[in-house]
Amino acid sequence: MRWDDLFEDLGAQLELMERQELAAETAEHVRAERGRVRLTDRLVAGTEEPLRLRVRGCGWLEARLRDVGTDWLLLGQGGGQQPGQELIVPTAAVTAVEGLTRRADVGEAVGSRRFGLRHALRAVSRDRAVVRLHDVDGDHVTGTLDRVLADHCDLTRHADDEPRRPSAARGVLSVPYAALALVRRL
């Protein structure tokens, strides 16, 4: 009888150790999986969700996430989708995000995700839209994006309410992408 109790006790201890080992392995696996999740993956999962973002040089912004690229975000402010409420924010300028879901989408679920900041800015340049560029130091300038190059863009400066014409041009400003905090379509 005592041998049966001893073997039963040893069997229970072994089973407990196996469960503890499995729980530790599972926890480690979960931590490793979480370690692969990028901010972009969580942002993609939160497309169309309202967020608060702190952007270098601009402070806190409240906006709805419209799209996510490889290194940029398209945000919409206000209730409608008027062009004046669209913002392109380089992810390098984002210092904090509030309102993200716990979910992550590590697949290529969003069509624009494979496109970089230059592609997004080229689309704005093709539209000849009047934009306001905000830099990471808090300054801003208004004009039309004329050229989108490898590591910077050229903006022809002019007044907000004037179309780009040679007579309205106040000069051309070259802005490195690393200095961009926000591009607001006016």
Side-chain angles (χ1 to χ4, degrees), residues 99-155:
L100 283 176
T101 67
R102 299 187 101 190
R103 294 176 292 132
D105 183 354
V106 294
E108 295 292 326
V110 177
S112 299
R113 192 169 182 194
R114 64 179 178 246
F115 300 121
L117 178 62
R118 286 183 300 162
H119 293 96
L121 294 178
R122 279 189 192 119
V124 173
S125 176
R126 267 192 311 272
D127 288 349
R128 308 305 293 157
V130 177
V131 296
R132 181 169 293 137
L133 297 184
H134 295 258
D135 67 23
V136 295
D137 292 330
D139 200 6
H140 61 83
V141 64
T142 303
T144 303
L145 284 174
D146 281 333
R147 296 179 350 146
V148 178
L149 303 143
D151 62 350
H152 68 286
C153 59
D154 287 347
L155 178 90

Side-chain angles (χ1 to χ4, degrees), residues 22-73:
L22 179 62
E25 285 178 22
T26 302
E28 182 58 31
H29 179 70
V30 168
R31 282 191 290 275
E33 284 297 313
R34 285 183 181 157
R36 291 185 192 107
V37 175
R38 297 178 182 275
L39 178 61
T40 304
D41 301 329
R42 292 187 64 201
L43 287 163
V44 168
T47 303
E48 292 303 323
E49 295 293 323
L51 297 174
R52 284 186 72 224
L53 297 97
R54 189 170 65 211
V55 178
R56 193 175 284 122
C58 298
W60 285 97
L61 302 172
E62 291 188 23
R64 187 168 296 275
L65 183 61
R66 300 279 185 224
D67 204 351
V68 179
T70 56
D71 57 353
W72 57 273
L73 310 174

Side-chain angles (χ1 to χ4, degrees), residues 55-56 71-72 89-95 136 177-178 180-181:
V55 178
R56 193 175 284 122
D71 57 353
W72 57 273
V89 178
T91 53
V94 176
T95 60
V136 295
Y177 299 138
L180 275 181

